[in-house]
Amino acid sequence: MRPNIIQMDAQTWIFDEGGVRFFLLTGDKEALLIDSGMETQNARELAQSLTKLPIRLLNTHADIDHVGSNHQFEAPYMHPAECSNYYHGRPGQPAPERGAITPVWDGQVIDLGERPLEIIALPGHTPGSVAVLDVKNRILISGDPIQDGGIYMFGIQREAHAYRHSLKRLMERHLDRFDAIWPSHGTLPVAPSLIEALYSAMDRILAGEAAYKLTQVHGMTVRWYDMGVAGFLMDEKQKGCDLL
């Protein structure tokens, strides 16, 4: 599959498969591919056709719709908390064969050459989910946790309480640092105000105050919460928590 490639400026491209996006950012010295698609198997060649700079890969997380071309890259950047998801895959399915990663940590900066990118940990959707802050351009590339589509929060790799705390920390520490959010799914861009709306929605869900309906996803019965700002797919037996 060849994704639709959209050039945003002289140093930024979006690869859109229709259901998921990934991104190419370049600086003066290096280029960084953020995620590698799902159906796309040749993301390196596609990216290299747009820049002559050396290209590294960073994964916002390791769900299958974000690692389609990972086999083309040596030791992609990834938060180590994502290793369980990356190396073991889904329960009941054979573990994928994958090579080493290069760990990235919350607060780490990857400088492409006059283009610093800061890693912001956002555990919850998966344990090692991260966002990438394009510091000078004031854009947050958010992966899956911040979007207006359907957010998967069911199964052993997802944790709604951690997700809610990640949103709170993002609001308290980083909200004044970006003007737009580029998610992997749903509308692009979305406004920073969506973060508070998602936080409030998760508050209501965990407090047992939100309506839901049961639906089937990947052979599992899950709760579908249509919260207006986004939808959440949650475990059928969702536990509440202390909403401190």
Side-chain angles (χ1 to χ4, degrees), residues 17 22 33 35-46 57 59 64 66-73 86:
E17 290 189 355
F22 53 106
L33 192 67
D35 290 330
S36 66
M38 181 174 183
E39 300 297 333
T40 303
Q41 297 293 306
N42 63 336
R44 178 184 274 284
E45 285 87 355
L46 294 175
L57 171 65
N59 290 116
I64 60 171
H66 296 260
V67 298
S69 295
N70 268 44
H71 61 280
Q72 293 194 304
F73 295 87
Y86 190 54

Side-chain angles (χ1 to χ4, degrees), residues 53 55 59 63 65 92 101 131 166 218 235:
L53 294 170
I55 301 172
N59 290 116
D63 281 353
D65 53 337
I101 68 162
S166 290
H218 301 317
D235 288 312

